[in-house]
Amino acid sequence: LQGGLSLTSLDLSHNRIDDHLLGELLKAIKGKEVSSLSLTVNEITEQGGHLLGQFLQEDESLTFLDLTNNNIS
């Protein structure tokens, strides 16, 4: 984001996001101070869950994460 704009909340529900796209998304928001991320009803699996775990260890700005109705067991 340029020009001093900031993004704090992102809702990408119902977008068919799979593990690969999730990895790209996490790269894009790393260090951007996103505090809320909703990824409900997507195609995220356990592999994506591991990616999210790594992301959360490195980026403490995310305080809300919704993964309802994905394929994480």
Side-chain angles (χ1 to χ4, degrees):
L1 298 172
Q2 299 176 1
L5 297 175
S6 64
L7 175 71
T8 58
S9 181
L10 186 58
D11 185 346
L12 293 172
S13 301
H14 301 271
N15 277 286
R16 297 182 178 165
I17 295 172
D18 61 11
D19 298 329
H20 173 75
L21 289 174
L22 176 63
E24 295 301 312
L25 169 66
L26 295 176
K27 287 179 195 175
I29 67 170
K30 186 175 181 179
K32 299 288 194 279
E33 304 288 328
V34 174
S35 60
S36 175
L37 180 59
S38 181
L39 296 168
T40 62
V41 193
N42 279 294
E43 299 170 4
I44 300 168
T45 69
E46 289 181 35
Q47 181 182 357
H50 290 291
L51 293 173
L52 282 162
Q54 292 172 337
F55 177 82
L56 292 170
Q57 288 179 341
E58 299 171 6
D59 192 316
E60 297 179 359
S61 63
L62 190 62
T63 58
F64 176 82
L65 176 61
D66 190 349
L67 295 169
T68 306
N69 291 324
N70 277 281
N71 299 318
I72 302 172
S73 25

